[in-house]
Amino acid sequence: MTIDQTGALVRLADRAPQITGAEIASSLVPPSQFHNATFESYRPDHDYPSQAEAVSILRTFAKSWEPQRPAGLFSRNRKKAETKPGVYLDGGFGVGKTHLLASLWHEAPGPKYFGTFIEYTALVGALGYAGAVNLLRGSALICIDEFELDDPGDTMMMTRMLGELVASGTRIAATSNTPPNALGEGRFAASDFLREIQSLSANFETIRIDGLDYRRRDTEGRAVTVERDEYDRITGALSSRGETVTSDDFDALIAHLATVHPSRYIKLLDGVDVIGLTDVRILHDQMAALRLVAFIDRVYDAEIPIVQTGTPLSEVFDEEMLGGGYRKKYLRSVSRMIALTTGELPPHD
């Protein structure tokens, strides 16, 4: 049941999750909605040919794990061009990069890992640098979704670790987040990514993917908000049905997120079926806004719908934030919050 002995709905703000290195490692697989992702199930937008081209290039990359056929005695075929050990998917949010990344992961032999940048840095935090490298060494493929370029220290640490892994034969596939002050209407910036990973840049082939956010191809959309009476009716009905429903004051949840490392946000959501938020308001603090972005990413991966009152979540970031260096992050989060409050959770990102 979702109610405690006092009859109150469970609060996320009352949870203080912990996570171990072993738990982080075991969770380094594609999110649940991508467990069955394949190149065949990716639906390219025919108005943007680069999407179909990306599939073709990634299929070729996936063949790098196939054993080489010995050339015939009199073969005159030229030596096959060597595939670079890394690929970088460069595109705006919602064009299917995560789906393609997961599809590549499914094609690779094991051992293999799939996670966000923050999950890999959390692994280093839990196991230490040497421990994390030892765990990942020998893997066929490491997929990094949303490689963060905001923190120079973490970027350098990850670049060093990936360099060691590439040298040992591991292949890398990545997408990235936009660095501060890199505006571009939701586009990732390949030049920024390659510059930040410095010595590794020559090992990556850039795959550009153009297109519109599939969650908003037909409509701009808006997060759904309800009045408090309707909120109480919905959450109460879901709870009485046996759903695990949480209910938090928005400000209280935002304050609580500041006390929990982002690597543990996923543990906040253990067993949760529906999230309730009351009195949502516009945020003016950038650190609070970025924590919300990280939290919404985990909620979206877990496919947990949100019921809310107050300001629509799609309008939670103020104009200064939307015009600043993290614009791409906020816009991606807005599209995800629209999907979470409207029940529109398509099968690929």
Side-chain angles (χ1 to χ4, degrees):
M1 288 293 291
T2 64
I3 55 176
D4 61 23
Q5 293 180 347
T6 68
L9 292 169
V10 175
R11 296 195 327 144
L12 292 174
D14 291 333
R15 296 186 169 193
Q18 301 296 319
I19 191 165
T20 66
E23 287 176 317
I24 296 172
S26 66
S27 70
L28 291 176
V29 297
S32 58
Q33 65 265 45
F34 302 112
H35 280 177
N36 297 312
T38 64
F39 292 130
E40 289 77 15
S41 62
Y42 176 75
R43 300 190 299 274
D45 187 332
H46 297 299
D47 290 334
Y48 296 91
S50 61
Q51 294 187 12
E53 291 169 7
V55 174
S56 177
I57 295 171
L58 286 171
R59 285 182 184 277
T60 299
F61 185 83
K63 291 182 181 298
S64 61
W65 287 289
E66 295 180 0
Q68 290 285 94
R69 293 182 179 179
L73 182 62
F74 300 105
S75 173
R76 299 178 61 184
N77 292 336
R78 297 178 181 178
K79 185 179 178 180
K80 182 181 177 181
E82 185 176 350
T83 302
K84 290 187 177 181
V87 290
Y88 167 64
L89 307 185
D90 172 42
F93 50 87
V95 296
K97 296 182 308 302
T98 301
H99 183 109
L100 291 174
L101 204 61
S103 300
L104 179 62
W105 185 89
H106 287 301
E107 290 281 324
K112 52 191 175 182
Y113 298 94
F114 184 109
T116 62
F117 181 90
I118 200 168
E119 288 174 308
Y120 288 107
T121 56
L123 183 68
V124 173
L127 300 180
Y129 180 83
V133 172
N134 288 335
L135 173 72
L136 300 175
R137 183 179 284 117
S139 54
L141 175 69
I142 291 178
C143 291
I144 308 168
D145 203 15
E146 302 164 10
F147 196 111
E148 297 278 357
L149 300 176
D150 310 326
D151 186 306
D154 282 347
T155 300
M156 288 180 63
M157 181 273 293
M158 281 292 289
T159 300
R160 176 189 168 199
M161 182 166 73
L162 294 179
E164 290 193 41
L165 295 173
V166 166
S168 69
T170 297
R171 294 186 177 275
I172 310 293
T175 69
S176 79
N177 278 323
T178 306
N181 301 318
L183 300 179
E185 297 301 323
R187 279 200 54 75
F188 294 97
S191 59
D192 291 310
F193 174 76
L194 297 175
R195 182 185 64 248
E196 294 300 326
I197 62 172
Q198 299 173 23
S199 59
L200 270 179
S201 61
N203 294 308
F204 278 81
E205 177 179 2
T206 297
I207 302 175
R208 178 167 175 167
I209 309 174
D210 296 304
L212 301 176
D213 182 350
Y214 71 86
R215 289 177 293 267
R216 303 176 75 178
R217 283 176 185 166
D218 299 321
T219 178
E220 285 299 305
R222 188 172 188 246
V224 173
T225 183
V226 299
E227 297 299 325
R228 185 57 192 252
D229 288 349
E230 180 69 0
Y231 174 90
D232 291 339
R233 186 193 70 76
I234 293 172
T235 55
L238 291 170
S239 179
S240 65
R241 217 165 63 188
E243 300 281 341
T244 303
V245 185
T246 65
S247 182
D248 288 83
D249 172 77
F250 182 71
D251 282 345
L253 177 62
I254 292 297
H256 186 57
L257 292 179
T259 71
V260 180
H261 190 276
S263 66
R264 301 175 186 171
Y265 287 174
I266 189 62
K267 297 279 282 187
L268 277 176
L269 304 173
D270 274 357
V272 175
D273 296 311
V274 179
I275 291 172
L277 293 176
T278 60
D279 297 323
V280 174
R281 64 175 181 82
I282 296 175
L283 293 173
H284 301 287
D285 179 87
Q286 184 137 264
M287 290 307 297
L290 291 173
R291 291 188 195 102
L292 178 63
V293 169
F295 176 71
I296 291 299
D297 283 346
R298 303 289 77 76
V299 175
Y300 186 81
D301 287 346
E303 300 181 271
I304 302 174
I306 295 175
V307 181
Q308 66 140 119
T309 72
T311 301
L313 281 165
S314 54
E315 300 171 15
V316 75
F317 306 119
D318 70 20
E319 290 301 317
E320 184 176 352
M321 292 177 190
L322 293 177
Y326 296 101
R327 173 182 173 84
K328 175 260 155 188
K329 287 186 179 181
Y330 296 137
L331 291 179
R332 183 195 66 207
S333 193
V334 164
S335 70
R336 290 185 167 188
M337 288 187 286
I338 290 172
L340 291 167
T341 61
T342 60
E344 298 176 2
L345 293 169
H348 81 276
D349 187 7

